Amino acid sequence: MEEVETKKPKKTTTSSSRNCSTCNQRRAALKRPKTLEQICRECFYSVFEEEIHRVIVDNQLFKPGERVAIGASGGKDSTVLAYVLSELNRRHNYGLDLFLLSIDEGITGYRDDSLETVKRNEVQYGLPLKVVSYKDLYGWTMDDIVKIIGLKNNCTFCGVFRRQALDRGATLLKVDKLATGHNADDMAETILLNILRGDIARLGRCTSITTGEDGPIPRCKPFKYTYEKEIVIYPCLYVPLRIYSPNAYRGFAREFIKDLERIRPRAILDIIKSGENFRISTSTKMPEQGTCERCGYISSQKWCKACVLLDGLNRGLPKLGIGRTKGNDGHPKEKPINGTKNMQSKPCGTLDF
Ligand code: SF4
């Protein structure tokens, strides 16, 4: 695996004069954030990879012969996922055809570097790469959109477009599944956010390790139980800079999860377990899935979110469909299209990439 800037271990990973609690032979090199065990580097790599292998096997994430795209953003999670999946595929003969799938949002200075990382991964891991761009798919780059919409609701556009772009890229690659680098921390944050928002529909499905089985391409999360801190410790690359600021609400949830983790490392797994154990009342009305009348993508409304947003952009009404009820200048509000819902801003962390 590529030797690039590795984050320096902090307090939780201080070296010790004790022996490794796993092999009891080598000197412990770090304290595992997930279990607080003192462990040597070799055993850490081994348990890290083995735990992911067990998650894949126990949840039957893949079948032999499947074509699987790895959503590759160039960030630490997807880079480690690409490496670990290609290793496990070889080591355990999963029989998978793996591909890297990247999205170019058209954000100057953001994707340029991370796409370079993905291109290096393509060579290092020998995985074919497909890059799909917002410009090609929608006729707009995020830079163009930000010029019009500003920095307040840009993540709504970016997130909605990215989700569809991944599906479209996966369709072009003719893959059976899409694997994303969502980790246990992401999962715990999402559960908490859905509870805080009272979003029963999302709460019901956000803990599933595989989603979208009734949609065009199912998505799975092999890192569902993998701690972010361990992904950082595992030799990995840099974390790309996000030029446009992510939404603050998720930031609070993230901080809260980190605080809980400091007090009780198991808290992340506990939240996931609690989320998994939620049972949605059968009398709760759930949105019905249909298809967008415009593009044919799955949608519970007349038009999918991407088509609503795109229509607004193309008609010079960029705030259409993003929940604005009052213009900043006090001018009349833009009304959502009939049969479509308004949306709230959702940054990249919530967006399955
Ligand atoms: Fe897109 Fe994430 Fe940047 Fe928002 S923060 S514009 S979702 S890349």
Side-chain angles (χ1 to χ4, degrees):
M1 188 165 181
E2 185 172 357
E3 294 260 341
V4 190
E5 187 186 332
T6 305
K7 284 209 169 175
K8 285 258 184 324
K10 291 189 186 161
K11 272 185 186 164
T12 48
T13 57
T14 46
S15 59
S16 149
S17 54
R18 284 195 222 162
N19 272 1
C20 167
S21 61
T22 301
C23 67
N24 203 24
Q25 288 175 352
R26 287 177 290 265
R27 187 67 53 87
L30 56 103
K31 195 191 269 183
R32 262 199 91 180
K34 192 171 183 177
T35 59
L36 300 184
E37 289 165 297
Q38 301 275 357
I39 193 165
C40 68
R41 198 161 287 276
E42 291 81 352
C43 287
F44 172 72
Y45 291 142
S46 166
V47 291
F48 181 90
E49 292 164 5
E50 190 52 28
E51 280 180 10
I52 294 159
H53 171 59
R54 285 266 47 98
V55 168
I56 290 170
V57 172
D58 293 349
N59 294 279
Q60 301 174 346
L61 292 195
F62 309 115
K63 294 193 195 85
E66 276 187 334
R67 292 166 66 88
V68 177
I70 299 163
S73 65
K76 65 182 187 329
D77 300 304
S78 61
T79 301
V80 173
L81 180 65
Y83 172 75
V84 171
L85 266 191
S86 57
E87 273 302 300
L88 295 177
N89 188 32
R90 203 170 12 247
R91 194 181 302 160
H92 297 286
N93 297 316
Y94 291 164
L96 303 176
D97 268 339
L98 297 174
F99 301 86
L100 297 171
L101 174 58
S102 276
I103 308 298
D104 183 358
E105 296 94 340
I107 303 174
T108 309
Y110 169 45
R111 279 296 175 218
D112 304 348
D113 286 349
S114 49
L115 280 176
E116 284 311 309
T117 302
V118 181
K119 283 178 193 160
R120 280 203 305 275
N121 296 159
E122 177 187 21
V123 177
Q124 290 163 332
Y125 311 151
L127 303 177
L129 166 67
K130 173 95 192 153
V131 181
V132 287
S133 73
Y134 284 7
K135 183 74 181 169
D136 290 345
L137 295 177
Y138 308 111
W140 291 81
T141 64
M142 273 311 294
D143 284 346
D144 296 337
I145 294 171
V146 165
K147 273 185 205 140
I148 292 182
I149 193 91
L151 289 171
K152 200 164 172 211
N153 294 301
N154 54 312
C155 294
T156 299
F157 285 83
C158 192
V160 170
F161 286 170
R162 184 187 293 120
R163 184 168 180 88
Q164 275 209 13
L166 273 177
D167 279 333
R168 292 195 193 189
T171 304
L172 289 172
L173 280 170
K174 297 189 174 63
V175 293
D176 303 290
K177 246 164 227 160
L178 181 60
T180 61
H182 286 93
N183 59 45
D185 300 51
D186 297 329
M187 177 74 73
E189 285 164 25
T190 304
I191 293 166
L192 204 59
L193 280 177
N194 286 331
I195 292 171
L196 295 174
R197 288 177 176 143
D199 192 333
I200 302 295
R202 285 208 175 86
L203 185 58
R205 58 177 189 258
C206 74
T207 55
S208 304
I209 194 161
T210 300
T211 52
E213 281 163 302
D214 49 349
I217 315 272
R219 295 177 179 217
C220 64
K221 304 179 183 80
F223 284 172
K224 179 181 174 185
Y225 300 105
T226 306
Y227 275 34
E228 185 173 83
K229 280 184 182 165
E230 301 207 344
I231 294 171
V232 171
I233 293 170
Y234 194 85
C236 71
L237 312 178
Y238 68 93
V239 183
L241 194 65
R242 281 179 188 156
I243 303 287
Y244 307 137
S245 60
N247 139 317
Y249 200 41
R250 174 161 280 263
F252 292 138
R254 178 159 300 180
E255 278 308 304
F256 181 60
I257 300 278
K258 294 281 173 234
D259 287 346
L260 288 178
E261 188 192 6
R262 268 190 286 277
I263 300 164
R264 176 179 156 83
R266 260 202 67 85
I268 292 174
L269 290 179
D270 290 344
I271 292 172
I272 296 176
K273 188 91 194 125
S274 306
E276 288 170 343
N277 287 336
F278 274 113
R279 293 288 168 267
I280 310 298
S281 155
T282 47
S283 60
T284 306
K285 199 168 180 296
M286 303 294 265
E288 277 174 32
Q289 287 293 9
T291 48
C292 170
E293 282 183 9
R294 238 185 166 194
C295 72
Y297 190 74
I298 43 163
S299 174
S300 56
Q301 307 295 323
K302 189 174 159 190
W303 285 10
C304 70
K305 293 174 181 178
C307 282
V308 175
L309 294 175
L310 212 47
D311 185 65
L313 282 174
N314 292 332
R315 285 168 50 195
L317 300 169
K319 288 168 189 160
L320 202 69
I322 52 175
R324 284 204 72 84
T325 53
K326 196 168 190 176
N328 290 334
D329 54 3
H331 281 128
K333 313 147 197 178
E334 292 166 357
K335 292 228 170 72
I337 291 168
N338 273 351
T340 62
K341 267 188 187 168
N342 284 350
M343 283 169 282
Q344 291 179 325
S345 181
K346 288 175 67 192
C348 38
T350 59
L351 293 161
D352 303 348
F353 189 33

PDB file of all heavy atoms in Angstrom, residues 318-345:
ATOM      1  N   PRO A 318     -32.735  29.042  -8.973  1.00  0.00           N
ATOM      2  CA  PRO A 318     -31.925  27.995  -8.326  1.00  0.00           C
ATOM      3  C   PRO A 318     -32.427  27.562  -6.951  1.00  0.00           C
ATOM      4  O   PRO A 318     -32.052  26.495  -6.486  1.00  0.00           O
ATOM      5  CB  PRO A 318     -30.539  28.626  -8.236  1.00  0.00           C
ATOM      6  CG  PRO A 318     -30.774  30.090  -8.299  1.00  0.00           C
ATOM      7  CD  PRO A 318     -31.970  30.277  -9.148  1.00  0.00           C
ATOM      8  N   LYS A 319     -33.267  28.401  -6.319  1.00  0.00           N
ATOM      9  CA  LYS A 319     -33.717  28.016  -4.978  1.00  0.00           C
ATOM     10  C   LYS A 319     -34.954  27.139  -5.001  1.00  0.00           C
ATOM     11  O   LYS A 319     -35.462  26.732  -3.960  1.00  0.00           O
ATOM     12  CB  LYS A 319     -33.960  29.259  -4.129  1.00  0.00           C
ATOM     13  CG  LYS A 319     -32.644  29.926  -3.743  1.00  0.00           C
ATOM     14  CD  LYS A 319     -32.852  31.294  -3.172  1.00  0.00           C
ATOM     15  CE  LYS A 319     -31.491  31.989  -3.015  1.00  0.00           C
ATOM     16  NZ  LYS A 319     -31.645  33.425  -2.913  1.00  0.00           N
ATOM     17  N   LEU A 320     -35.407  26.855  -6.189  1.00  0.00           N
ATOM     18  CA  LEU A 320     -36.586  26.004  -6.343  1.00  0.00           C
ATOM     19  C   LEU A 320     -36.324  24.635  -5.705  1.00  0.00           C
ATOM     20  O   LEU A 320     -35.356  23.972  -6.034  1.00  0.00           O
ATOM     21  CB  LEU A 320     -36.853  25.811  -7.842  1.00  0.00           C
ATOM     22  CG  LEU A 320     -38.247  25.430  -8.274  1.00  0.00           C
ATOM     23  CD1 LEU A 320     -39.209  26.585  -8.060  1.00  0.00           C
ATOM     24  CD2 LEU A 320     -38.217  25.072  -9.757  1.00  0.00           C
ATOM     25  N   GLY A 321     -37.161  24.256  -4.784  1.00  0.00           N
ATOM     26  CA  GLY A 321     -37.036  22.900  -4.256  1.00  0.00           C
ATOM     27  C   GLY A 321     -36.043  22.732  -3.134  1.00  0.00           C
ATOM     28  O   GLY A 321     -35.827  21.623  -2.680  1.00  0.00           O
ATOM     29  N   ILE A 322     -35.420  23.832  -2.649  1.00  0.00           N
ATOM     30  CA  ILE A 322     -34.490  23.627  -1.533  1.00  0.00           C
ATOM     31  C   ILE A 322     -35.036  24.180  -0.229  1.00  0.00           C
ATOM     32  O   ILE A 322     -34.314  24.389   0.722  1.00  0.00           O
ATOM     33  CB  ILE A 322     -33.096  24.233  -1.810  1.00  0.00           C
ATOM     34  CG1 ILE A 322     -33.218  25.686  -2.232  1.00  0.00           C
ATOM     35  CG2 ILE A 322     -32.333  23.407  -2.807  1.00  0.00           C
ATOM     36  CD1 ILE A 322     -31.875  26.369  -2.391  1.00  0.00           C
ATOM     37  N   GLY A 323     -36.331  24.419  -0.214  1.00  0.00           N
ATOM     38  CA  GLY A 323     -36.970  24.733   1.061  1.00  0.00           C
ATOM     39  C   GLY A 323     -36.989  26.192   1.409  1.00  0.00           C
ATOM     40  O   GLY A 323     -37.338  26.554   2.523  1.00  0.00           O
ATOM     41  N   ARG A 324     -36.584  27.074   0.468  1.00  0.00           N
ATOM     42  CA  ARG A 324     -36.627  28.504   0.775  1.00  0.00           C
ATOM     43  C   ARG A 324     -38.060  28.994   0.663  1.00  0.00           C
ATOM     44  O   ARG A 324     -38.749  28.718  -0.308  1.00  0.00           O
ATOM     45  CB  ARG A 324     -35.757  29.292  -0.190  1.00  0.00           C
ATOM     46  CG  ARG A 324     -34.300  29.171   0.110  1.00  0.00           C
ATOM     47  CD  ARG A 324     -33.575  30.380  -0.450  1.00  0.00           C
ATOM     48  NE  ARG A 324     -33.867  31.561   0.335  1.00  0.00           N
ATOM     49  CZ  ARG A 324     -33.221  31.868   1.446  1.00  0.00           C
ATOM     50  NH1 ARG A 324     -32.290  31.089   1.898  1.00  0.00           N
ATOM     51  NH2 ARG A 324     -33.520  32.948   2.121  1.00  0.00           N
ATOM     52  N   THR A 325     -38.503  29.676   1.667  1.00  0.00           N
ATOM     53  CA  THR A 325     -39.858  30.205   1.584  1.00  0.00           C
ATOM     54  C   THR A 325     -39.829  31.721   1.443  1.00  0.00           C
ATOM     55  O   THR A 325     -40.818  32.336   1.157  1.00  0.00           O
ATOM     56  CB  THR A 325     -40.660  29.839   2.844  1.00  0.00           C
ATOM     57  OG1 THR A 325     -39.923  30.262   3.977  1.00  0.00           O
ATOM     58  CG2 THR A 325     -40.930  28.354   2.892  1.00  0.00           C
ATOM     59  N   LYS A 326     -38.665  32.305   1.663  1.00  0.00           N
ATOM     60  CA  LYS A 326     -38.583  33.753   1.580  1.00  0.00           C
ATOM     61  C   LYS A 326     -37.240  34.130   0.989  1.00  0.00           C
ATOM     62  O   LYS A 326     -36.200  33.639   1.425  1.00  0.00           O
ATOM     63  CB  LYS A 326     -38.691  34.332   2.986  1.00  0.00           C
ATOM     64  CG  LYS A 326     -38.989  35.799   2.983  1.00  0.00           C
ATOM     65  CD  LYS A 326     -39.368  36.230   4.370  1.00  0.00           C
ATOM     66  CE  LYS A 326     -39.899  37.653   4.337  1.00  0.00           C
ATOM     67  NZ  LYS A 326     -40.350  38.084   5.622  1.00  0.00           N
ATOM     68  N   GLY A 327     -37.270  34.984  -0.028  1.00  0.00           N
ATOM     69  CA  GLY A 327     -36.024  35.420  -0.637  1.00  0.00           C
ATOM     70  C   GLY A 327     -35.252  36.297   0.328  1.00  0.00           C
ATOM     71  O   GLY A 327     -35.843  36.957   1.176  1.00  0.00           O
ATOM     72  N   ASN A 328     -33.922  36.311   0.189  1.00  0.00           N
ATOM     73  CA  ASN A 328     -33.096  37.158   1.053  1.00  0.00           C
ATOM     74  C   ASN A 328     -33.447  38.635   0.881  1.00  0.00           C
ATOM     75  O   ASN A 328     -33.328  39.432   1.788  1.00  0.00           O
ATOM     76  CB  ASN A 328     -31.610  36.965   0.718  1.00  0.00           C
ATOM     77  CG  ASN A 328     -31.151  35.597   1.152  1.00  0.00           C
ATOM     78  OD1 ASN A 328     -31.718  35.020   2.073  1.00  0.00           O
ATOM     79  ND2 ASN A 328     -30.137  35.073   0.487  1.00  0.00           N
ATOM     80  N   ASP A 329     -33.875  38.962  -0.333  1.00  0.00           N
ATOM     81  CA  ASP A 329     -34.192  40.360  -0.613  1.00  0.00           C
ATOM     82  C   ASP A 329     -35.659  40.692  -0.330  1.00  0.00           C
ATOM     83  O   ASP A 329     -36.126  41.775  -0.625  1.00  0.00           O
ATOM     84  CB  ASP A 329     -33.879  40.652  -2.086  1.00  0.00           C
ATOM     85  CG  ASP A 329     -34.583  39.652  -2.998  1.00  0.00           C
ATOM     86  OD1 ASP A 329     -35.338  38.809  -2.470  1.00  0.00           O
ATOM     87  OD2 ASP A 329     -34.389  39.724  -4.213  1.00  0.00           O
ATOM     88  N   GLY A 330     -36.381  39.714   0.222  1.00  0.00           N
ATOM     89  CA  GLY A 330     -37.775  39.960   0.553  1.00  0.00           C
ATOM     90  C   GLY A 330     -38.715  39.816  -0.632  1.00  0.00           C
ATOM     91  O   GLY A 330     -39.915  40.027  -0.521  1.00  0.00           O
ATOM     92  N   HIS A 331     -38.178  39.443  -1.789  1.00  0.00           N
ATOM     93  CA  HIS A 331     -39.011  39.272  -2.965  1.00  0.00           C
ATOM     94  C   HIS A 331     -39.844  38.010  -2.863  1.00  0.00           C
ATOM     95  O   HIS A 331     -39.578  37.155  -2.028  1.00  0.00           O
ATOM     96  CB  HIS A 331     -38.139  39.237  -4.227  1.00  0.00           C
ATOM     97  CG  HIS A 331     -37.720  40.603  -4.654  1.00  0.00           C
ATOM     98  ND1 HIS A 331     -36.416  40.934  -4.892  1.00  0.00           N
ATOM     99  CD2 HIS A 331     -38.438  41.732  -4.843  1.00  0.00           C
ATOM    100  CE1 HIS A 331     -36.343  42.212  -5.234  1.00  0.00           C
ATOM    101  NE2 HIS A 331     -37.553  42.709  -5.201  1.00  0.00           N
ATOM    102  N   PRO A 332     -40.853  37.869  -3.717  1.00  0.00           N
ATOM    103  CA  PRO A 332     -41.720  36.687  -3.636  1.00  0.00           C
ATOM    104  C   PRO A 332     -40.931  35.395  -3.639  1.00  0.00           C
ATOM    105  O   PRO A 332     -39.872  35.296  -4.269  1.00  0.00           O
ATOM    106  CB  PRO A 332     -42.584  36.792  -4.893  1.00  0.00           C
ATOM    107  CG  PRO A 332     -42.548  38.226  -5.268  1.00  0.00           C
ATOM    108  CD  PRO A 332     -41.257  38.775  -4.785  1.00  0.00           C
ATOM    109  N   LYS A 333     -41.482  34.408  -2.961  1.00  0.00           N
ATOM    110  CA  LYS A 333     -40.798  33.123  -2.814  1.00  0.00           C
ATOM    111  C   LYS A 333     -40.917  32.311  -4.089  1.00  0.00           C
ATOM    112  O   LYS A 333     -41.873  32.474  -4.835  1.00  0.00           O
ATOM    113  CB  LYS A 333     -41.443  32.331  -1.676  1.00  0.00           C
ATOM    114  CG  LYS A 333     -41.648  33.129  -0.435  1.00  0.00           C
ATOM    115  CD  LYS A 333     -42.896  32.645   0.263  1.00  0.00           C
ATOM    116  CE  LYS A 333     -43.357  33.664   1.276  1.00  0.00           C
ATOM    117  NZ  LYS A 333     -44.564  33.273   1.944  1.00  0.00           N
ATOM    118  N   GLU A 334     -39.972  31.394  -4.258  1.00  0.00           N
ATOM    119  CA  GLU A 334     -40.076  30.466  -5.379  1.00  0.00           C
ATOM    120  C   GLU A 334     -40.862  29.268  -4.907  1.00  0.00           C
ATOM    121  O   GLU A 334     -40.536  28.668  -3.886  1.00  0.00           O
ATOM    122  CB  GLU A 334     -38.682  30.033  -5.818  1.00  0.00           C
ATOM    123  CG  GLU A 334     -37.914  31.180  -6.448  1.00  0.00           C
ATOM    124  CD  GLU A 334     -36.445  30.873  -6.567  1.00  0.00           C
ATOM    125  OE1 GLU A 334     -36.013  29.799  -6.106  1.00  0.00           O
ATOM    126  OE2 GLU A 334     -35.725  31.711  -7.105  1.00  0.00           O
ATOM    127  N   LYS A 335     -41.887  28.924  -5.633  1.00  0.00           N
ATOM    128  CA  LYS A 335     -42.734  27.825  -5.201  1.00  0.00           C
ATOM    129  C   LYS A 335     -42.215  26.503  -5.739  1.00  0.00           C
ATOM    130  O   LYS A 335     -41.790  26.420  -6.883  1.00  0.00           O
ATOM    131  CB  LYS A 335     -44.148  28.041  -5.724  1.00  0.00           C
ATOM    132  CG  LYS A 335     -44.852  29.219  -5.082  1.00  0.00           C
ATOM    133  CD  LYS A 335     -46.247  28.774  -4.657  1.00  0.00           C
ATOM    134  CE  LYS A 335     -46.920  29.810  -3.797  1.00  0.00           C
ATOM    135  NZ  LYS A 335     -47.337  30.977  -4.502  1.00  0.00           N
ATOM    136  N   PRO A 336     -42.251  25.437  -4.913  1.00  0.00           N
ATOM    137  CA  PRO A 336     -41.839  24.143  -5.438  1.00  0.00           C
ATOM    138  C   PRO A 336     -42.806  23.635  -6.493  1.00  0.00           C
ATOM    139  O   PRO A 336     -43.981  23.986  -6.489  1.00  0.00           O
ATOM    140  CB  PRO A 336     -41.859  23.229  -4.201  1.00  0.00           C
ATOM    141  CG  PRO A 336     -42.714  23.931  -3.214  1.00  0.00           C
ATOM    142  CD  PRO A 336     -42.660  25.374  -3.518  1.00  0.00           C
ATOM    143  N   ILE A 337     -42.277  22.802  -7.373  1.00  0.00           N
ATOM    144  CA  ILE A 337     -43.108  22.224  -8.421  1.00  0.00           C
ATOM    145  C   ILE A 337     -44.149  21.308  -7.791  1.00  0.00           C
ATOM    146  O   ILE A 337     -43.875  20.628  -6.809  1.00  0.00           O
ATOM    147  CB  ILE A 337     -42.209  21.412  -9.366  1.00  0.00           C
ATOM    148  CG1 ILE A 337     -41.328  22.398 -10.123  1.00  0.00           C
ATOM    149  CG2 ILE A 337     -42.996  20.554 -10.316  1.00  0.00           C
ATOM    150  CD1 ILE A 337     -40.215  21.747 -10.871  1.00  0.00           C
ATOM    151  N   ASN A 338     -45.342  21.281  -8.368  1.00  0.00           N
ATOM    152  CA  ASN A 338     -46.393  20.394  -7.854  1.00  0.00           C
ATOM    153  C   ASN A 338     -45.895  18.976  -7.700  1.00  0.00           C
ATOM    154  O   ASN A 338     -45.235  18.457  -8.575  1.00  0.00           O
ATOM    155  CB  ASN A 338     -47.560  20.364  -8.843  1.00  0.00           C
ATOM    156  CG  ASN A 338     -48.504  21.495  -8.547  1.00  0.00           C
ATOM    157  OD1 ASN A 338     -48.362  22.154  -7.522  1.00  0.00           O
ATOM    158  ND2 ASN A 338     -49.427  21.732  -9.454  1.00  0.00           N
ATOM    159  N   GLY A 339     -46.270  18.372  -6.611  1.00  0.00           N
ATOM    160  CA  GLY A 339     -45.927  16.962  -6.441  1.00  0.00           C
ATOM    161  C   GLY A 339     -44.489  16.751  -6.028  1.00  0.00           C
ATOM    162  O   GLY A 339     -43.991  15.643  -6.038  1.00  0.00           O
ATOM    163  N   THR A 340     -43.755  17.779  -5.687  1.00  0.00           N
ATOM    164  CA  THR A 340     -42.388  17.580  -5.196  1.00  0.00           C
ATOM    165  C   THR A 340     -42.295  18.173  -3.808  1.00  0.00           C
ATOM    166  O   THR A 340     -43.005  19.097  -3.458  1.00  0.00           O
ATOM    167  CB  THR A 340     -41.350  18.272  -6.095  1.00  0.00           C
ATOM    168  OG1 THR A 340     -41.612  19.663  -6.081  1.00  0.00           O
ATOM    169  CG2 THR A 340     -41.403  17.737  -7.508  1.00  0.00           C
ATOM    170  N   LYS A 341     -41.374  17.635  -3.052  1.00  0.00           N
ATOM    171  CA  LYS A 341     -41.182  18.099  -1.686  1.00  0.00           C
ATOM    172  C   LYS A 341     -40.033  19.086  -1.638  1.00  0.00           C
ATOM    173  O   LYS A 341     -39.108  18.990  -2.422  1.00  0.00           O
ATOM    174  CB  LYS A 341     -40.763  16.909  -0.819  1.00  0.00           C
ATOM    175  CG  LYS A 341     -41.873  16.214  -0.132  1.00  0.00           C
ATOM    176  CD  LYS A 341     -41.183  15.259   0.788  1.00  0.00           C
ATOM    177  CE  LYS A 341     -42.084  14.321   1.491  1.00  0.00           C
ATOM    178  NZ  LYS A 341     -41.317  13.268   2.121  1.00  0.00           N
ATOM    179  N   ASN A 342     -40.070  19.972  -0.671  1.00  0.00           N
ATOM    180  CA  ASN A 342     -38.889  20.791  -0.437  1.00  0.00           C
ATOM    181  C   ASN A 342     -37.828  19.945   0.244  1.00  0.00           C
ATOM    182  O   ASN A 342     -38.120  18.941   0.866  1.00  0.00           O
ATOM    183  CB  ASN A 342     -39.239  21.970   0.471  1.00  0.00           C
ATOM    184  CG  ASN A 342     -39.996  23.022  -0.299  1.00  0.00           C
ATOM    185  OD1 ASN A 342     -40.075  22.945  -1.514  1.00  0.00           O
ATOM    186  ND2 ASN A 342     -40.545  23.967   0.408  1.00  0.00           N
ATOM    187  N   MET A 343     -36.586  20.382   0.127  1.00  0.00           N
ATOM    188  CA  MET A 343     -35.509  19.592   0.717  1.00  0.00           C
ATOM    189  C   MET A 343     -34.698  20.431   1.677  1.00  0.00           C
ATOM    190  O   MET A 343     -34.633  21.635   1.563  1.00  0.00           O
ATOM    191  CB  MET A 343     -34.588  19.076  -0.379  1.00  0.00           C
ATOM    192  CG  MET A 343     -35.186  17.930  -1.109  1.00  0.00           C
ATOM    193  SD  MET A 343     -34.211  17.608  -2.538  1.00  0.00           S
ATOM    194  CE  MET A 343     -34.759  18.870  -3.610  1.00  0.00           C
ATOM    195  N   GLN A 344     -34.050  19.746   2.567  1.00  0.00           N
ATOM    196  CA  GLN A 344     -33.136  20.430   3.459  1.00  0.00           C
ATOM    197  C   GLN A 344     -31.717  20.125   3.029  1.00  0.00           C
ATOM    198  O   GLN A 344     -31.460  19.117   2.405  1.00  0.00           O
ATOM    199  CB  GLN A 344     -33.331  19.934   4.889  1.00  0.00           C
ATOM    200  CG  GLN A 344     -34.652  20.380   5.440  1.00  0.00           C
ATOM    201  CD  GLN A 344     -34.831  19.867   6.828  1.00  0.00           C
ATOM    202  OE1 GLN A 344     -34.388  18.768   7.140  1.00  0.00           O
ATOM    203  NE2 GLN A 344     -35.471  20.636   7.660  1.00  0.00           N
ATOM    204  N   SER A 345     -30.827  21.006   3.406  1.00  0.00           N
ATOM    205  CA  SER A 345     -29.431  20.836   3.021  1.00  0.00           C
ATOM    206  C   SER A 345     -28.851  19.561   3.611  1.00  0.00           C
ATOM    207  O   SER A 345     -29.059  19.249   4.768  1.00  0.00           O
ATOM    208  CB  SER A 345     -28.642  22.031   3.536  1.00  0.00           C
ATOM    209  OG  SER A 345     -27.312  21.908   3.174  1.00  0.00           O
TER     210      SER A 345
END
